[in-house]
Amino acid sequence: MGSPAAPVVRIRELARHAGQDARLRGWVYNLRDKGRILFLLVRDGSAIAQGVIARGEVPDAAFEAARQLTQESSVELSGSVRADARAPGGAELIVKDMVVHQVAAPYPISPKEHGVAFLMQHRHLWLRSRKQAALLRVRHEVIQAWRNYLDAQGFYCVDSPIFTPNACEGTSTLFETDYFGEKAYLTQSGQLYAEAAAMALGKVYCFGPTFRAEKSKTRRHLTEFWMLEPEMAFAGLEENLALAEGLLRHTLRQVLEKRRDELADLERDPAVLEKWDQPFPRLRYDEAARQLAQWQKEGRYESQFRDGDDLGAPDETMLGRHFGLPVAVTHWPAAIKAFYMKRDPEDPTKVLGMDIVAPGAGEIVGGSVREDDLALLEQRIRDERLPEEAFQWYLDLRRYGSVPHAGFGIGLERTLSWITGVEHVRECIPFPRTLERIYP
Ligand code: 4AD
Ligand code: MG
């Protein structure tokens, strides 16, 4: 190989090595054969770069081997890095030698258009394409941003279990498993355990996969998705709203700072994200309901929504369009929210719940102040016909030093869909699980 001492460089870092020798390892994205000169696009997972291979500048055998390269063939290129403002990433590699790991078999995903069903069936390969790889890198960045933000404020990460004896978010979407002869469920949310951890450590979050046996085939529903759930002792609705807004705005800023190239790959205008980095409008459920009824009356949109209902996709879309910003909807009807939400002391038909509805993505955050009164919580559990024995440990949190506390859950895939503008959450997770899909 040209210069054996040349360092292996990741393509994202290539421009910083301008004027030096370097080696690139990756896969062939595209090859243009101009006779005496070959332009090889190579991807290594961090980005895509061009290698320029000129006859006479590389050993003849390497030149001939390069001409035979097929899409996704695996190679190692060595050469010198040349700064070029027009090149993607600002540099290209003038190749001096090449090693071929494998000439790939004819690749099923060609640059031509494929249907989503075909691409999903080849999800294990589809991940390599420019846009999908960019999405995965933004996903990584969002997770980093979440952890940075919470860690910097003194939150501790406490993991919650995946096998659980009881429901958190209603019994209709539970995945049941046989746990050594007993029923257990895949967790719908780590919240109840995060509450226990908040009483131990003050400010905590859990982050992990959660499961919902959703029968809905919408672009916003997965049966397995990742959720971040912060929980704070000694906090109310105001602190909860501030934390959620702060977290989202921090996430926008970090993505803007670190993932400009990916936003470009995704054809996402960064100005959209910049605009969202401002205080989010807040409205109570009653105001939202009035507004939606008004818009329906004016024929501005079609919806089944009636006062007292949960918001549906068209309603969320309307709110997003009207405000052009994420909107926090608070003070929800108790009847449509979970058993653990605290009643509004000024109106017991409402709970101190909050959802954040984001333009294009719908609800991305759901949270609340938690009921901290033992008797009221016991009553709610009975009213909802939940198994009381399974909740005794949870009720202990209200027996031993109960305090006002609050938290929320934020879905990673919906957040990613919101930030990147990618419509369907199934592209926002490496291997989606939906009503219709468990392969690959
Ligand atoms: O509103 P949800 O159901 O709230 C909870 O689970 C609370 N226990 C969280 C808490 O307070 N700690 O879900 C929270 C978020 C939603 O706003 C959405 O972003 C995401 O989780 N989510 C889903 N994402 C993809 N597919 C689904 N089927 C989802 N269901 C909820
Ligand atoms: Mg919700």
Side-chain angles (χ1 to χ4, degrees), residues 14-19 32 39 48-52 80-94:
L14 195 60
R16 292 207 280 147
H17 293 258
R32 278 189 300 137
F39 296 101
I48 297 177
Q50 178 164 273
V52 181
S80 58
V81 182
R82 184 169 69 189
D84 179 350
R86 292 160 309 167
E92 59 186 11
L93 190 74
I94 307 305

Side-chain angles (χ1 to χ4, degrees), residues 41-296:
L41 281 186
V42 177
R43 55 165 203 90
D44 73 347
S46 74
I48 297 177
Q50 178 164 273
V52 181
I53 310 178
R55 188 191 288 283
E57 302 294 318
V58 294
D60 285 348
F63 189 81
E64 286 313 313
R67 301 186 92 161
Q68 307 305 318
L69 291 173
T70 53
Q71 190 185 348
E72 288 305 315
S73 292
S74 37
V75 293
E76 179 168 324
L77 306 175
S78 54
S80 58
V81 182
R82 184 169 69 189
D84 179 350
R86 292 160 309 167
E92 59 186 11
L93 190 74
I94 307 305
V95 178
K96 296 179 187 163
D97 207 348
M98 179 187 73
V99 171
V100 177
H101 286 275
Q102 192 205 28
V103 176
Y107 193 63
I109 304 179
S110 60
K112 77 168 167 74
E113 290 276 310
H114 296 280
V116 175
F118 176 87
L119 291 168
M120 274 297 166
Q121 196 67 8
H122 294 85
R123 182 65 174 165
H124 51 296
L125 302 177
W126 189 23
L127 293 180
R128 302 178 186 195
S129 59
R130 190 191 291 267
K131 193 172 158 192
Q132 298 302 314
L135 263 175
L136 291 184
R137 290 194 295 268
V138 179
R139 183 180 163 108
H140 167 86
E141 200 64 52
V142 169
I143 296 169
Q144 290 282 322
W146 285 358
R147 289 191 182 272
N148 293 346
Y149 186 76
L150 294 172
D151 293 354
Q153 296 191 37
F155 281 74
Y156 297 104
C157 177
V158 179
D159 303 312
S160 53
I162 285 175
F163 285 125
T164 58
N166 51 273
C168 179
E169 292 298 320
T171 49
S172 62
T173 62
L174 279 174
F175 274 113
E176 197 177 298
T177 64
D178 173 15
Y179 196 75
F180 306 114
E182 276 184 41
K183 276 187 193 169
Y185 308 96
L186 299 184
T187 186
Q188 297 169 308
S189 157
Q191 177 197 322
L192 307 184
Y193 298 96
E195 286 183 56
M199 298 306 135
L201 301 180
K203 294 202 281 187
V204 300
Y205 61 93
C206 58
F207 176 57
T210 47
F211 305 86
R212 308 270 169 106
E214 302 271 9
K215 294 277 159 48
S216 31
K217 283 195 259 180
T218 79
R219 63 184 184 86
R220 291 168 186 173
H221 286 94
L222 297 163
T223 55
E224 180 178 318
F225 63 96
W226 285 66
M227 182 159 46
L228 174 84
E229 299 183 81
E231 192 72 31
M232 300 175 280
F234 302 102
L237 192 57
E238 189 51 42
E239 289 89 345
N240 214 21
L241 283 163
L243 185 73
E245 180 181 311
L247 178 76
L248 288 171
R249 292 175 61 184
H250 172 81
T251 307
L252 292 171
R253 288 195 288 266
Q254 185 163 331
V255 169
L256 281 165
E257 188 191 322
K258 301 266 187 65
R259 298 292 159 186
R260 289 266 165 181
D261 293 347
E262 281 76 8
L263 293 176
D265 285 341
L266 293 161
E267 293 163 29
R268 184 59 150 169
D269 181 0
V272 177
L273 278 61
E274 279 156 11
K275 190 198 77 180
W276 289 334
D277 182 15
Q278 57 171 302
F280 300 163
R282 294 177 184 182
L283 66 168
R284 289 173 177 244
Y285 173 89
D286 283 347
E287 300 166 55
R290 239 191 332 270
Q291 186 65 258
L292 292 169
Q294 179 73 22
W295 288 331
Q296 284 177 64

